[in-house]
Structure formats: C-alpha cells, structure tokens
C-alpha cells in the first residue's frame, strides 16, 4: 500500500514536472487523464515505473530508460561505486602514462560505463560499451549525449557488437586493461518465475543465459584469459552474478584459466553479486 502511494506520488510529480506552464499546483482535466493513463499502464499493463517516468537514478547520474533495454538496478549501482574506489587504489599503485581502457560488455543503457567515467580520475580512462541489441546502443548513446558534461573528460563510446564474435575479440580485446560486465545470468527456471513487470517489458536476451545462467561469463573468462595478459594485481575481469549458486562454478572456471586474486563481493542484501579476478 505504501509503495503504491509512493508510485502514485512519483507519477503525479512527473506530470507536474512535464507541464509547460508551472503556474498552478492543481491538475487540469488533460493532466488528470494523463495520470489515469499512467496508472493504467502501471497496473493493467504491468509497465515498470521507470519506463513510465523515463529515467532511473544511477550513482549521481540520471539514466534514460526505454523498453526493452534493462532498467539499471541498485545492485549494479552499488558495485560500480565500489569498483571506482578499488580501481583508484590499484591504479595509483601501478601507474602508467597511457589512459586505461575499459570494455563494458553487455552495456544496455550504458549505466556502468557512464558511472565509471563520471567518477574515475579526470581524463584517465577510455571506455567502450558494447551490446548486441541496437535499441540498447541507441539508448546508451542518448545517455552519453545527455551526460557528457558529467564524465570528467573521460572518453566513452558505444558500439553494437555481439560479444561471441571471435574475430572482433581477437582484434579488440588486447587493447583493454579491464573488462566489466553485467551479463544475462538468470536461469531458465528462474525466468519462468519472474514478475510480469520484468517478463512483459524487459528484453529476454538481457536476462536469460544457458548453463545455469553462466554461459556468457564463461565465454568472457576464456576470452579475457586468451587476449588480456595478467599484468598486475589490478582486476582484469569484473562480472555481476545472480547469487551464491554461480560462485563455485565460475571460481573454478577462473582458476582453470589462470586468473588470480579471485574475489566475490556481496551486495547490501547479503547476496553474492560480483565475481572479479586479476
Ligand atoms: C543484464 S543486461 C545489463 C545492462 C546494463 N549493463 C545494466 O547493468 O543495466 C545484459 C545486456 O547484455 C546484452 N547482451 C546479451 N547477449 C549479448 C551478446 N551476445 N553480446 C553483447 N551483448 C549481449 C543484452 O542486450 C543486455 O542489454
């Protein structure tokens, strides 16, 4: 009930914020009809609030949201901020003259890449975000255009790219210091049990992966091991995961491919959320 009231308040705020003439604080007939329409989209059609509002806060950035591209989640925001702190320490200890290069695989709205750019040291980093979905890349580029002034003079670009393209990987991966990713990690069984808010509106490709949700993670582990040599204790690969059940298989896979300093970060809810290694 509390949540429903809060959502109604946010929808009303959107209408008030969108109005051209801010003279009156009460809603006109037209605005009441728009509010009715928003409530209908939310309740009857299960449209997520963030798609109706059109944005979602991520770190201190206001990220545009548009179906079917995944809405940025608080868990991702949390580890992105933690990663900024970790990289600041590592990169201070292991200085290089060149800018660091980060590949944000499965970039979606671009939230991770943009969040990193906005908080890493000024003019220190080049970030490329790639996604297989053209509509995600369009949205990431719209976010880039909107947020450019907040990116600390760090360079960010987005490209449409299937990360299973081995020729692209062989050519481009060796130019990066670090790969970050929030890949699809929901198992087929978990997907069947998800809310209609998610299933009806967010791209299935953004969520589901074979091999108990670890297929893309394993592919990234193999690819990074092959193309990005271990140069320092700094992380080489940072991936979001779906929980404890994925820790052991992915740790084994990382060890098999020669990774060191394997760590798991829990999120604020105490769930295993990120696996990283150097
Ligand atoms: C879980 S979403 C993450 C989006 C965003 N990084 C975030 O954290 O909100 C996963 C993304 O992976 C993309 N994706 C799925 N398969 C891919 C592939 N083979 N190559 C590149 N991107 C892929 C999807 O289109 C989707 O945008």
């Amino acid at each position: 009930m509390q949540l429903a009231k809060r959502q109604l308040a946010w929808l009303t705020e959107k209408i008030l914020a969108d109005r051209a003439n801010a003279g009156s604080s009460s809603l006109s007939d037209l605005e009441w009809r728009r509010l009715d329409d928003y409530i209908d989209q939310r309740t009857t059609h299960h449209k997520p609030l963030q798609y109706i509002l059109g944005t979602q806060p991520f770190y201190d950035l206001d990220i545009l949201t548009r179906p079917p591209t995944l809405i940025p989640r608080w868990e991702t925001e949390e580890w992105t901020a933690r990663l900024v702190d970790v990289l600041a320490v590592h990169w201070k200890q292991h200085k290089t003259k060149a800018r660091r290069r980060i590949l944000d695989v499965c970039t979606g709205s671009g939230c991770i890449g943009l969040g990193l750019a906005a908080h890493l040291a000024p003019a220190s980093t080049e970030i490329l975000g790639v996604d297989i979905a053209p509509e995600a890349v369009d949205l990431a580029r719209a976010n880039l255009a909107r947020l450019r002034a907040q990116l600390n003079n760090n360079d960010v670009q987005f490209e449409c790219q299937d990360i299973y393209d081995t020729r692209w990987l062989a050519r481009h991966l060796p130019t990066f210091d670090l790969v970050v990713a929030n890949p699809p990690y929901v198992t087929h069984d978990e997907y069947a049990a998800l809310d209609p808010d998610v299933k009806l509106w967010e791209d299935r490709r953004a969520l589901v992966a074979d091999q108990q949700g670890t297929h893309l993670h394993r592919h990234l582990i193999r690819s990074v091991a092959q193309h990005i040599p271990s140069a320092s204790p700094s992380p080489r690969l940072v991936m979001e995961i779906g929980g404890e059940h994925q820790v052991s298989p992915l740790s084994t896979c990382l060890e098999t491919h020669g990774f060191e300093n394997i760590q798991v970060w829990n999120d604020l809810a105490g769930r295993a959320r990120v696996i990283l290694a150097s």
Side-chain angles (χ1 to χ4, degrees), residues 23-152:
S24 159
S25 60
S26 56
L27 299 185
S28 66
D29 287 352
L30 184 69
E31 288 168 335
W32 275 114
R33 279 200 295 280
R34 269 187 35 222
L35 184 57
D36 274 349
D37 177 50
Y38 288 160
I39 292 169
D40 189 50
Q41 289 180 39
R42 181 76 197 98
T43 53
T44 316
H45 301 284
H46 301 279
K47 189 170 186 175
L49 186 71
Q50 295 90 335
Y51 284 151
I52 303 174
L53 297 177
T55 58
Q56 164 71 21
F58 186 90
Y59 232 147
D60 52 356
L61 304 177
D62 216 20
I63 298 284
L64 295 171
T65 51
R66 205 186 286 155
T69 304
L70 196 95
I71 298 163
R73 305 295 205 263
W74 65 265
E75 296 92 331
T76 310
E77 177 184 11
E78 192 197 346
W79 71 253
T80 303
R82 184 168 174 185
L83 182 61
V84 166
D85 294 342
V86 167
L87 292 180
V89 172
H90 274 288
W91 289 358
K92 208 170 175 183
Q93 284 168 357
H94 306 275
K95 289 203 169 85
T96 61
K97 285 211 179 104
R99 286 185 175 209
R100 308 282 181 163
R101 282 179 49 80
I102 301 177
L103 179 64
D104 173 18
V105 174
C106 298
T107 197
S109 63
C111 57
I112 299 172
L114 294 166
L116 292 174
H119 294 90
L120 288 168
S124 65
T125 315
E126 292 172 359
I127 298 173
L128 175 64
V130 296
D131 201 287
I132 197 170
E135 61 274 15
V137 177
D138 285 349
L139 183 61
R141 286 181 178 151
N143 275 315
L144 173 60
R146 202 176 128 88
L147 299 170
R148 200 180 285 282
Q150 289 174 256
L151 302 185
N152 250 344

